[in-house]
Short mmCIF file of all heavy atoms in Angstrom, two decimals:
data_model
loop_
_atom_site.label_atom_id
_atom_site.label_comp_id
_atom_site.label_asym_id
_atom_site.label_seq_id
_atom_site.Cartn_x
_atom_site.Cartn_y
_atom_site.Cartn_z
N SER A 55 136.61 15.38 170.81
CA SER A 55 135.94 14.20 170.29
C SER A 55 135.03 13.51 171.20
O SER A 55 134.11 12.87 170.71
CB SER A 55 137.10 13.17 169.79
OG SER A 55 137.94 12.95 170.92
N SER A 56 135.26 13.65 172.56
CA SER A 56 134.46 12.91 173.50
C SER A 56 132.99 13.47 173.51
O SER A 56 132.13 12.86 174.11
CB SER A 56 135.08 13.02 174.89
OG SER A 56 135.24 14.33 175.28
N LEU A 57 132.79 14.65 172.90
CA LEU A 57 131.49 15.26 172.98
C LEU A 57 130.69 14.99 171.73
O LEU A 57 129.52 15.48 171.60
CB LEU A 57 131.65 16.80 173.11
CG LEU A 57 132.29 17.26 174.44
CD1 LEU A 57 132.37 18.80 174.50
CD2 LEU A 57 131.50 16.78 175.63
N ILE A 58 131.20 14.18 170.77
CA ILE A 58 130.48 13.97 169.52
C ILE A 58 129.15 13.18 169.89
O ILE A 58 128.04 13.55 169.38
CB ILE A 58 131.39 13.09 168.56
CG1 ILE A 58 132.40 13.92 168.06
CG2 ILE A 58 130.45 12.64 167.42
CD1 ILE A 58 133.38 13.20 167.06
N GLY A 59 129.23 12.25 170.72
CA GLY A 59 128.04 11.41 171.07
C GLY A 59 127.00 12.33 171.76
O GLY A 59 125.77 12.27 171.42
N ASN A 60 127.46 13.29 172.70
CA ASN A 60 126.50 14.08 173.42
C ASN A 60 125.83 15.02 172.39
O ASN A 60 124.65 15.30 172.41
CB ASN A 60 127.26 15.01 174.35
CG ASN A 60 127.89 14.19 175.46
OD1 ASN A 60 128.27 13.04 175.25
ND2 ASN A 60 127.88 14.69 176.67
N LEU A 61 126.60 15.53 171.33
CA LEU A 61 125.99 16.36 170.34
C LEU A 61 124.95 15.67 169.50
O LEU A 61 123.89 16.26 169.25
CB LEU A 61 127.09 16.92 169.47
CG LEU A 61 126.72 17.89 168.35
CD1 LEU A 61 126.07 19.14 168.87
CD2 LEU A 61 127.92 18.23 167.44
N LEU A 62 125.25 14.41 169.21
CA LEU A 62 124.25 13.65 168.40
C LEU A 62 123.06 13.42 169.23
O LEU A 62 121.93 13.41 168.60
CB LEU A 62 124.87 12.36 167.92
CG LEU A 62 125.99 12.48 166.87
CD1 LEU A 62 126.63 11.08 166.58
CD2 LEU A 62 125.53 13.13 165.61
N ASP A 63 123.16 13.18 170.49
CA ASP A 63 121.98 13.00 171.36
C ASP A 63 121.11 14.16 171.26
O ASP A 63 119.84 14.11 171.32
CB ASP A 63 122.38 12.72 172.77
CG ASP A 63 123.09 11.29 172.90
OD1 ASP A 63 122.88 10.49 172.07
OD2 ASP A 63 123.76 11.16 173.94
N LEU A 64 121.67 15.35 171.26
CA LEU A 64 120.86 16.59 171.18
C LEU A 64 120.28 16.72 169.78
O LEU A 64 119.13 17.23 169.65
CB LEU A 64 121.75 17.83 171.48
CG LEU A 64 122.23 17.95 172.87
CD1 LEU A 64 123.23 19.15 173.01
CD2 LEU A 64 121.04 18.18 173.87
N ALA A 65 120.98 16.42 168.73
CA ALA A 65 120.57 16.59 167.36
C ALA A 65 119.41 15.66 167.06
O ALA A 65 118.56 15.90 166.10
CB ALA A 65 121.73 16.41 166.44
N TYR A 66 119.33 14.48 167.75
CA TYR A 66 118.38 13.46 167.35
C TYR A 66 117.28 13.42 168.43
O TYR A 66 116.75 12.35 168.72
CB TYR A 66 119.03 12.09 167.22
CG TYR A 66 119.86 11.99 166.09
CD1 TYR A 66 121.22 12.39 165.97
CD2 TYR A 66 119.33 11.52 164.81
CE1 TYR A 66 121.95 12.32 164.79
CE2 TYR A 66 120.11 11.44 163.66
CZ TYR A 66 121.35 11.86 163.71
OH TYR A 66 122.19 11.79 162.55
N LEU A 67 116.87 14.60 168.93
CA LEU A 67 115.81 14.59 169.83
C LEU A 67 114.52 14.18 169.15
O LEU A 67 114.31 14.57 167.98
CB LEU A 67 115.60 15.94 170.47
CG LEU A 67 116.69 16.39 171.51
CD1 LEU A 67 116.53 17.84 171.88
CD2 LEU A 67 116.61 15.53 172.66
N PRO A 68 113.53 13.51 169.81
CA PRO A 68 112.32 13.12 169.17
C PRO A 68 111.57 14.31 168.61
O PRO A 68 111.54 15.45 169.24
CB PRO A 68 111.48 12.46 170.26
CG PRO A 68 112.54 12.02 171.24
CD PRO A 68 113.61 13.05 171.26
N GLY A 69 110.96 14.18 167.42
CA GLY A 69 110.11 15.19 166.89
C GLY A 69 110.86 16.14 165.93
O GLY A 69 110.24 17.03 165.25
N GLN A 70 112.21 16.11 165.86
CA GLN A 70 112.93 16.95 164.89
C GLN A 70 112.91 16.33 163.49
O GLN A 70 112.97 15.09 163.33
CB GLN A 70 114.35 17.08 165.45
CG GLN A 70 114.49 17.97 166.65
CD GLN A 70 115.97 18.24 166.99
OE1 GLN A 70 116.81 17.51 166.56
NE2 GLN A 70 116.18 19.27 167.76
N SER A 71 112.90 17.16 162.46
CA SER A 71 112.91 16.70 161.12
C SER A 71 114.26 16.15 160.81
O SER A 71 115.25 16.48 161.39
CB SER A 71 112.57 17.86 160.19
OG SER A 71 113.65 18.81 160.20
N SER A 72 114.22 15.23 159.78
CA SER A 72 115.54 14.61 159.46
C SER A 72 116.50 15.57 158.86
O SER A 72 117.72 15.44 158.94
CB SER A 72 115.17 13.51 158.37
OG SER A 72 114.57 14.10 157.24
N GLU A 73 115.95 16.69 158.33
CA GLU A 73 116.83 17.76 157.70
C GLU A 73 117.66 18.42 158.77
O GLU A 73 118.75 18.85 158.50
CB GLU A 73 115.94 18.77 156.92
CG GLU A 73 116.79 19.66 155.98
CD GLU A 73 117.28 18.89 154.79
OE1 GLU A 73 116.76 17.78 154.52
OE2 GLU A 73 118.21 19.37 154.14
N SER A 74 117.06 18.50 160.06
CA SER A 74 117.82 19.24 161.08
C SER A 74 118.79 18.32 161.78
O SER A 74 119.52 18.75 162.65
CB SER A 74 116.82 19.67 162.08
OG SER A 74 116.22 18.61 162.79
N ARG A 75 118.85 17.05 161.37
CA ARG A 75 119.66 16.01 162.08
C ARG A 75 121.06 15.87 161.39
O ARG A 75 121.85 15.07 161.89
CB ARG A 75 118.96 14.76 162.17
CG ARG A 75 117.72 14.69 162.91
CD ARG A 75 116.95 13.40 162.89
NE ARG A 75 115.83 13.45 163.81
CZ ARG A 75 114.93 12.47 163.93
NH1 ARG A 75 115.15 11.27 163.32
NH2 ARG A 75 113.91 12.56 164.79
N ARG A 76 121.34 16.56 160.37
CA ARG A 76 122.68 16.48 159.77
C ARG A 76 123.57 17.38 160.52
O ARG A 76 123.40 18.49 160.75
CB ARG A 76 122.60 16.85 158.32
CG ARG A 76 121.80 15.84 157.43
CD ARG A 76 121.91 16.21 155.92
NE ARG A 76 121.34 17.51 155.69
CZ ARG A 76 121.52 18.09 154.53
NH1 ARG A 76 122.17 17.56 153.59
NH2 ARG A 76 120.89 19.34 154.29
N VAL A 77 124.73 16.73 160.95
CA VAL A 77 125.70 17.35 161.84
C VAL A 77 127.07 17.30 161.19
O VAL A 77 127.47 16.26 160.60
CB VAL A 77 125.72 16.77 163.22
CG1 VAL A 77 126.76 17.36 164.05
CG2 VAL A 77 124.29 16.80 163.86
N ALA A 78 127.88 18.40 161.29
CA ALA A 78 129.21 18.33 160.88
C ALA A 78 130.05 18.89 161.98
O ALA A 78 129.80 19.95 162.52
CB ALA A 78 129.46 19.17 159.57
N VAL A 79 131.08 18.25 162.29
CA VAL A 79 132.00 18.68 163.38
C VAL A 79 133.48 18.70 162.89
O VAL A 79 133.85 17.82 162.10
CB VAL A 79 131.90 17.80 164.63
CG1 VAL A 79 130.46 17.84 165.14
CG2 VAL A 79 132.35 16.35 164.30
N VAL A 80 134.26 19.66 163.41
CA VAL A 80 135.69 19.72 163.14
C VAL A 80 136.41 19.21 164.32
O VAL A 80 136.29 19.80 165.43
CB VAL A 80 136.14 21.07 162.76
CG1 VAL A 80 137.72 21.16 162.52
CG2 VAL A 80 135.40 21.67 161.47
N CYS A 81 137.11 18.15 164.19
CA CYS A 81 137.97 17.62 165.20
C CYS A 81 139.42 17.52 164.68
O CYS A 81 139.74 16.78 163.71
CB CYS A 81 137.53 16.20 165.65
SG CYS A 81 135.84 16.10 166.38
N ASP A 82 140.24 18.19 165.42
CA ASP A 82 141.68 18.24 164.92
C ASP A 82 142.59 18.48 166.01
O ASP A 82 142.17 18.41 167.21
CB ASP A 82 141.84 19.32 163.82
CG ASP A 82 141.35 20.65 164.29
OD1 ASP A 82 141.81 21.12 165.40
OD2 ASP A 82 140.53 21.28 163.62
N THR A 83 143.87 18.64 165.80
CA THR A 83 144.90 18.67 166.70
C THR A 83 144.86 19.96 167.68
O THR A 83 145.51 20.00 168.68
CB THR A 83 146.29 18.65 166.11
OG1 THR A 83 146.44 19.72 165.18
CG2 THR A 83 146.50 17.31 165.41
N ARG A 84 144.00 20.88 167.31
CA ARG A 84 143.83 22.05 168.22
C ARG A 84 143.31 21.65 169.60
O ARG A 84 143.56 22.40 170.58
CB ARG A 84 142.87 23.09 167.54
CG ARG A 84 143.51 23.89 166.40
CD ARG A 84 142.44 24.71 165.75
NE ARG A 84 141.36 23.97 165.23
CZ ARG A 84 140.18 24.49 164.85
NH1 ARG A 84 139.92 25.83 165.00
NH2 ARG A 84 139.18 23.74 164.34
N SER A 85 142.55 20.51 169.64
CA SER A 85 141.97 20.18 170.96
C SER A 85 142.92 19.47 171.84
O SER A 85 142.56 18.98 172.91
CB SER A 85 140.76 19.27 170.70
OG SER A 85 141.13 18.08 169.90
N GLY A 86 144.22 19.30 171.40
CA GLY A 86 145.25 18.80 172.24
C GLY A 86 145.05 17.37 172.70
O GLY A 86 144.73 16.56 171.83
N GLU A 87 145.09 17.14 173.92
CA GLU A 87 144.93 15.75 174.50
C GLU A 87 143.56 15.23 174.27
O GLU A 87 143.36 13.98 174.27
CB GLU A 87 145.20 15.75 175.99
CG GLU A 87 144.32 16.65 176.77
CD GLU A 87 144.75 16.69 178.30
OE1 GLU A 87 145.91 16.38 178.57
OE2 GLU A 87 143.91 17.04 179.03
N TYR A 88 142.57 16.05 174.01
CA TYR A 88 141.23 15.58 173.74
C TYR A 88 141.11 14.86 172.43
O TYR A 88 140.26 14.07 172.25
CB TYR A 88 140.19 16.70 173.90
CG TYR A 88 140.10 17.29 175.21
CD1 TYR A 88 140.55 18.62 175.43
CD2 TYR A 88 139.50 16.66 176.26
CE1 TYR A 88 140.46 19.21 176.65
CE2 TYR A 88 139.43 17.22 177.51
CZ TYR A 88 139.92 18.58 177.74
OH TYR A 88 139.88 19.10 178.93
#
Side-chain angles (χ1 to χ4, degrees):
S55 57
S56 60
L57 297 180
I58 292 178
N60 297 36
L61 180 62
L62 291 177
D63 290 339
L64 291 174
Y66 288 87
L67 290 173
Q70 290 188 339
S71 66
S72 59
E73 197 67 18
S74 67
R75 295 178 177 178
R76 293 187 296 170
V77 177
V79 300
V80 176
C81 294
D82 53 54
T83 56
R84 288 175 296 168
S85 59
E87 61 185 18
Y88 296 111

